[in-house]
Amino acid sequence: MISLDEVLVVDVESTCWEGTPPAGEVSEIIEIGICPVAVATGVRGERRSVLVRPSRSSVSPFCTQLTTLTASQVADGVSFAEACALLRKEFRSDRRVWASYGDYDRKMFERQCADFGVRYPFGPRHVNVKTLFALTHALPREVGMAEAVRLAGQKLDGTHHRGHDDAHNIAGLLAGLLGR
């Protein structure tokens, strides 16, 4: 049974490089940002960051510049399997609608779960806030998250490209859409 009282907004940060990844490395999740939104009131819950220890790649200087996350920070993180278990246990992610800005986050979870044989942490309902925002505002195309925040008359809160801050900002966009 899917619970519809709140939407779990998720934003991931992944290992990345300027150009192609080094030989043998593949992009993988290094941070899961979470911010629940109460559907009835639009009130955002506490933002949370779960650092995930990469096992098939390393954090490049480019990645640190973009996300502020360092190799030593994520080395102290949990495994991907532990992060998925935490989402289910602490956020009931498998029994809630979840949302992200675009399909990147959903596809990363699907790919990484398949690659590692880890149970997918979410239920069957995903909301793509990027598409929903463009449709609701009758935009000619989808726009980036920072642009959507600006168009919504909001201000970016926190550090762009940090999962917990981006999840909080996306939750604010979703709250505005739910209230329309």
Side-chain angles (χ1 to χ4, degrees):
M1 177 74 109
I2 296 292
S3 183
L4 299 175
D5 60 331
E6 69 180 27
V7 176
L8 193 60
V9 177
V10 173
D11 182 78
V12 301
E13 301 303 329
S14 304
T15 50
C16 55
W17 304 266
E18 197 165 25
T20 57
E25 293 195 29
V26 59
S27 182
E28 59 188 317
I29 295 169
I30 55 173
E31 181 186 27
I32 304 169
I34 306 141
C35 185
V37 177
V39 173
T41 62
V43 172
R44 290 179 278 190
E46 189 176 332
R47 61 183 106 179
R48 174 100 181 265
S49 172
V50 177
L51 295 182
V52 181
R53 187 175 55 250
S55 62
R56 303 180 298 173
S57 63
S58 56
V59 176
S60 70
F62 172 79
C63 188
T64 297
Q65 184 181 346
L66 183 68
T67 66
T68 74
L69 292 168
T70 65
S72 63
Q73 284 175 301
V74 299
D76 291 335
V78 298
S79 71
F80 178 69
E82 290 170 311
C84 289
L86 181 149
L87 288 171
R88 283 190 300 275
K89 182 179 180 202
E90 293 187 29
F91 294 95
R92 297 178 35 211
S93 61
D94 53 346
R95 291 177 283 180
R96 294 205 180 283
V97 174
W98 75 287
S100 62
Y101 200 82
D103 269 337
Y104 176 82
D105 307 78
R106 182 181 59 79
K107 288 177 181 176
M108 280 298 289
F109 270 103
E110 287 173 352
R111 191 193 83 208
Q112 217 161 310
C113 284
D115 287 355
F116 289 114
V118 171
R119 186 173 139 215
Y120 188 68
F122 301 106
R125 304 288 184 268
H126 174 260
V127 175
N128 181 333
V129 178
K130 186 177 193 175
T131 301
L132 185 61
F133 186 87
L135 291 170
T136 305
H137 287 83
L139 300 177
R141 61 176 176 72
E142 295 176 336
V143 297
M145 190 269 292
E147 176 70 0
V149 168
R150 187 188 68 74
L151 289 171
Q154 300 174 11
K155 290 199 183 315
L156 277 178
D157 184 10
T159 303
H160 192 26
H161 297 300
R162 273 305 303 266
H164 61 294
D165 289 334
D166 283 354
H168 181 78
N169 287 305
I170 296 162
L173 289 171
L174 181 59
L177 296 173
L178 291 173
R180 284 174 78 99

